[in-house]
Structure formats: C-alpha cells, structure tokens
Amino acid sequence: MTDAEATRHGPGRILILVYGVFALSATARAGVQIATEFSEAPIAYALSAVAAVIYCAATFALARATKLSRQVATVAIVIELVGVVGIGAFSYAVPEDFPDATVWSHFGQGYGFVPLVLPVLGLLWLRRTA
Amino acid sequence: MFEPLTWTITGLALVAMVFAIVLAALDRRINWWLLGVLGVVEVGLLAQLVVGIVQLASTERDVSGVFFVGYLIGGLIVLPLGALWALAESSRWGAGALAFACFVIPVVELRMYEIWTV
C-alpha cells in the first residue's frame, strides 16, 4: 500500500461513502431541477449543478487515492467549503433568489448540516493521511 | 404509498445498521448474516419500486413524481454500492461504512413519505 492509498482506507472508507451518497443525490437533484423548473430559480439551480460536480470530483478523487488525485480532492473540497459557507450566507442575505433549497443553501440545513461538516472532515482527513 | 412496506424496510435497515456498528465496534469484518439482512431489504426496495410506480400512476394526490421515482431508484443503488465498498476494506471501517449505507435507507424512506403525504 502506497502512502496515498491510505486515503481510501480506515475512516476514509466512511468519508468517501458519505461523499458518494452526496454526489449521487446532488447530481440527481440538480438534474431534475434544471430539466424541469430551471426558469424558477436559475441561480440556485446552477449552483446546485456546481455542487453536484464538486461532490462527484471529490468522491472520485478521494477514492482514487493517488498523489495527484489527492491534490484534486483538496482543491474540490476547498471549493466545497467556500461554496457551502458562501452560499449559506448568501441564501440568508438574498432569500428571494433561493425559493427552492439547494444542497448548500442555509449552510446545508435541509441535509442536517452535513454539507457544512463534510468538507471540514475531508480536509482534516487529507491532512491526516498526508 | 403502501406503508407496511415502508416500515418493514426502515426497521430492517435500522437493525442492519446496529448490526454493522456492533461488528465495527468488535473489530470484525462484515459477514454473510449482515449481507443476508441487506438482501432482504433490497428485495423490499425492489417491491417498493414496483408498488410505488403503480400507486403513483393511479393516485389522485399531487405527488412530485420525478422526485418520488428518483428516491425509489436511488434507494436501490445505495446498499449494493455500500456492500461492495465495505467488502473491499479489510479493517473494521468497512463495517462502519456499511452502517452509514444502512442509515441512508431510512432517510430515503422518510423523504419519500414526505413527498407522498405533502
């Protein structure tokens, strides 16, 4: 086992599965929103799609567990953290642009605030296995 | 929505989750008993997919069909994926990961229940 491979073992096993479930649900959700009701809240739904892409990238990069993929994962997860904090704050400030909740609006409240905790755990795990 | 099926799936998934947590706590790998229980849950989810679509087609409720079917299908993917992911891990964390996969099922059931009853 190379050092980088440690990323997908141990506690990383749970972390990556949580990421996978979020990747799956965010992708499905964004897909439905954009296909059926995009004009209702284009900003929110475009951001939903961005979130879906980030979750997918983080999931695959963490699961791949190579030196390079760990860097990709780090970038993705930093974007994720900025996204959930930024959009969380923005959704409180300008609620009329967010009639329908995205994964990241209200700091991930609709998902038990897991979207807020997940990137922090992800970055801690990447640091731990560095 | 056929509620007995919802409750059975939810109950069995929670039992499997506790089972998986116990295995992780005892530093064991997942075993065939656990996978057997999950197999039963999966059969329940398959039945729910069929029953759900039939009921959706005949209901007069204003149910968001796309999301409802999305959860019906999404719920089917989680356990097989979680089981494969857990089997490929030689430490206790495999069982831990499978416990999380089990936890997703009641969440999916709750979401479907909310969508159906709104």
Side-chain angles (χ1 to χ4, degrees), chain A residues 8-14 16-19 21-22 24 28-29 32-33 36-37 63 110-111, chain B residues 66-67 71 74 77-78 81-82 84-86 88-89 91 93-94 96-98 100-101 104 111:
Chain A
R8 65 173 170 213
H9 292 290
R13 214 70 187 168
I14 301 181
I16 294 168
L17 194 58
V18 177
Y19 262 102
V21 169
F22 268 86
L24 186 70
R29 192 188 176 92
V32 170
Q33 286 173 337
T36 62
E37 49 199 23
Y111 294 80
Chain B
V66 195
F67 280 101
Y71 278 113
I77 305 170
V78 177
L81 217 64
L84 285 177
W85 187 239
E89 170 73 15
S91 77
W93 295 99
L98 195 50
F100 173 73
V104 173
R111 284 274 156 129

Side-chain angles (χ1 to χ4, degrees), chain A:
Chain A
M1 187 164 85
T2 64
D3 290 346
E5 270 177 54
T7 314
R8 65 173 170 213
H9 292 290
R13 214 70 187 168
I14 301 181
L15 183 76
I16 294 168
L17 194 58
V18 177
Y19 262 102
V21 169
F22 268 86
L24 186 70
S25 64
T27 304
R29 192 188 176 92
V32 170
Q33 286 173 337
I34 289 173
T36 62
E37 49 199 23
F38 186 69
S39 54
E40 278 178 36
I43 299 177
Y45 293 159
L47 289 172
S48 263
V50 171
V53 170
I54 292 297
Y55 280 121
C56 289
T59 305
F60 286 115
L62 286 170
R64 182 110 176 78
T66 63
K67 232 177 152 184
L68 177 66
S69 85
R70 283 172 49 87
Q71 291 171 346
V72 175
T74 309
V75 173
I77 296 175
V78 167
I79 296 173
E80 180 196 347
L81 184 61
V82 171
V84 69
V85 171
I87 291 171
F90 193 67
S91 63
Y92 277 108
V94 200
E96 59 269 27
D97 277 337
F98 289 84
D100 202 350
T102 74
V103 183
W104 288 341
S105 37
H106 305 111
F107 304 111
Q109 190 185 30
Y111 294 80
F113 293 107
V114 175
L116 188 58
V117 180
L118 202 53
V120 177
L121 291 178
L123 290 176
L124 284 174
W125 180 242
L126 279 167
R127 212 175 108 166
R128 179 93 187 270
T129 52

